[in-house]
Amino acid sequence: MHDNVVDRSKDITILELLDRVLNKGVILTGDIVISVADIDLVYVGVKLMLSSVETMEQLKSAKSIIEKNG
Amino acid sequence: MDKIIYAILSVKEDPEKLMAQLNTMKGILEADLYIVSYEDISAVVSDINRSDLIADKTNALKFAELIENLAEQFTVIPVRFGSLVESSDRIKKMLERNYNKIQNNLLEIKNKVEFGLKVFCDPEKMKAEIKIKAEAEPLIESIKSKKKSIYTDYLLNKLKEHRFEEQLLAHVDCIILDITTHLKQLNPIQKFKKMVSATNIIDAVLLLEKDKKELCINVVNELQNKYPDLSFMLTGPWPPYNFVDINIK
């Protein structure tokens, strides 16, 4: 019965988890640096992950700007 | 060497318990974990080279796992992945500067866990149902009864679209109201987003006391039975990621 409601599906849970880790939690202003590898953690077709994809894209852009400006 | 911060917590009551737990866990890249404290507030950190912190799946999951393990034993404020500070001294100053803000947030989330509740619909089915209602409106009927022209067609279509969107939102609002009524017995702190996508009509996060998990599951079961055309997806319990939206300077 509970399994119908509390979704234990591995994929969905991982998406939910990544969304929280990458998009939520306390932000430390001024000290955050992040390196972005070739991202294999996002599946672009899944709408749940769109906000995370956007975040990663922003981070990638920010990183390339930082690199360009030294 | 930089410090990556995983979580902030208060260890007023049992600092030994935290140290014992940290000794059994490793941070990103298998680094040792330790705490940097100001009074009774501590940040859980590990050392890392700035260039070694890669936002890949392994590291993100490791980060989340660590926060989850800590949250099982303590009230923790999760820190967003990728938060690096260059020295322990700066972390200490940061905790000192934000002491009250952190204490207040810890109080709000004490002994509580987060649940995610998403509601999905079959958009075609829902559109069809709402369209029938929208088309039956007197104003639309009156335009339909006028002499047909390119202008009345345009007006009719625009009006139908507008009415459809209005009714869809009203329908979602009704469901949200029903959900909040059902959830009232759990006394949650809740946040709702509407119409996240064509299928995901409600995206909610709930902050509940830890011991209300079973009750929450029962409530969602009731809602699922009441709305058989919708799919309710409950996830959790999570550390309170969505209820620590403070900026720390």
Side-chain angles (χ1 to χ4, degrees):
Chain A
M1 183 69 168
H2 287 176
D3 286 346
N4 295 334
V5 181
V6 179
D7 203 303
R8 298 290 181 200
S9 157
K10 196 180 164 199
D11 288 345
I12 292 173
T13 309
I14 286 178
L15 292 176
E16 288 274 298
L17 186 148
L18 292 174
D19 193 34
R20 282 173 167 79
V21 172
L22 298 173
N23 284 318
K24 314 292 179 189
V26 168
I27 303 169
L28 307 182
T29 313
D31 285 301
I32 297 183
V33 173
I34 195 166
S35 303
V36 181
D38 289 334
I39 304 300
D40 68 338
L41 54 77
V42 284
Y43 173 48
V44 187
V46 178
K47 289 206 164 56
L48 280 177
M49 278 302 286
L50 278 181
S51 58
S52 290
V53 174
E54 282 158 15
T55 303
M56 301 315 291
E57 290 301 329
Q58 284 162 13
L59 290 166
K60 273 188 194 171
S61 311
K63 190 185 176 224
S64 61
I65 290 166
I66 290 164
E67 282 173 352
K68 271 184 201 162
N69 295 335
Chain B
M1 183 76 75
D2 289 300
K3 322 283 171 200
I4 181 164
I5 308 182
Y6 300 86
I8 296 170
L9 42 81
S10 171
V11 285
K12 198 162 30 181
E13 284 147 21
D14 201 351
E16 291 79 20
K17 187 172 149 192
L18 175 63
M19 298 318 294
Q21 189 172 1
L22 293 185
N23 284 335
T24 65
M25 300 191 296
K26 290 284 181 188
I28 286 179
L29 300 175
E30 295 304 304
D32 289 336
L33 294 162
Y34 56 96
I35 57 169
V36 177
S37 304
Y38 172 75
E39 295 197 356
D40 56 325
I41 290 177
S42 300
V44 174
V45 304
S46 68
D47 292 340
I48 194 163
N49 279 322
R50 206 157 271 237
S51 54
D52 291 341
L53 180 62
I54 306 295
D56 63 6
K57 189 174 174 177
T58 310
N59 284 342
L61 291 180
K62 178 83 187 172
F63 194 88
E65 185 192 0
L66 206 147
I67 293 173
E68 196 171 323
N69 286 337
L70 287 170
E72 278 172 14
Q73 302 294 327
F74 305 95
T75 299
V76 302
I77 296 178
V79 175
R80 191 170 296 194
F81 180 87
S83 303
L84 294 181
V85 178
E86 59 198 32
S87 68
S88 295
D89 192 45
R90 286 194 70 168
I91 296 175
K92 200 170 180 171
K93 284 189 177 130
M94 181 192 78
L95 296 177
E96 185 180 353
R97 269 198 309 273
N98 296 279
Y99 183 81
N100 288 340
K101 217 192 285 186
I102 293 169
Q103 279 288 24
N104 289 341
N105 205 167
L106 281 166
L107 209 61
E108 280 165 20
I109 59 173
K110 192 174 182 185
N111 294 325
K112 290 181 176 161
V113 286
E114 176 180 317
F115 285 90
L117 177 62
K118 285 184 159 64
V119 182
F120 297 91
C121 73
D122 175 342
E124 295 310 315
K125 212 170 172 180
M126 190 172 251
K127 271 180 195 167
E129 191 184 319
I130 289 170
K131 239 174 195 163
I132 293 165
K133 285 183 199 161
E135 289 203 5
E137 272 200 48
L139 185 56
I140 290 175
E141 287 302 313
S142 88
I143 294 171
K144 270 184 178 171
S145 67
K146 289 194 186 339
K147 195 181 170 189
K148 197 172 158 55
S149 75
I150 187 168
Y151 304 109
T152 53
D153 281 352
Y154 175 79
L155 194 60
L156 197 59
N157 283 337
K158 280 288 164 200
L159 192 60
K160 275 184 189 173
E161 273 173 32
H162 179 65
R163 286 285 188 264
F164 169 69
E165 280 167 18
E166 263 183 357
Q167 291 199 13
L168 184 61
L169 273 177
H171 186 57
V172 171
D173 280 338
C174 280
I175 298 169
I176 289 178
L177 183 64
D178 201 13
I179 292 173
T180 52
T181 308
H182 273 75
L183 289 172
K184 221 171 195 173
Q185 55 181 304
L186 304 174
N187 197 23
I189 298 172
Q190 53 203 1
K191 296 178 186 177
F192 284 90
K193 277 191 219 162
K194 293 184 274 188
M195 307 308 298
V196 179
S197 70
T199 53
N200 183 194
I201 55 170
I202 296 168
D203 186 359
V205 281
L206 317 166
L207 188 70
L208 303 175
E209 279 155 32
K210 278 182 180 171
D211 60 3
K212 288 190 175 160
K213 178 183 161 187
E214 294 300 317
L215 259 176
C216 181
I217 291 168
N218 291 341
V219 168
V220 175
N221 260 329
E222 280 170 26
L223 286 162
Q224 180 64 81
N225 291 336
K226 185 170 178 186
Y227 296 96
D229 289 342
L230 302 174
S231 287
F232 286 72
M233 188 185 87
L234 182 69
T235 59
W238 301 99
Y241 283 98
N242 282 284
F243 295 91
V244 291
D245 42 3
I246 54 173
N247 276 2
I248 290 183
K249 291 174 186 163

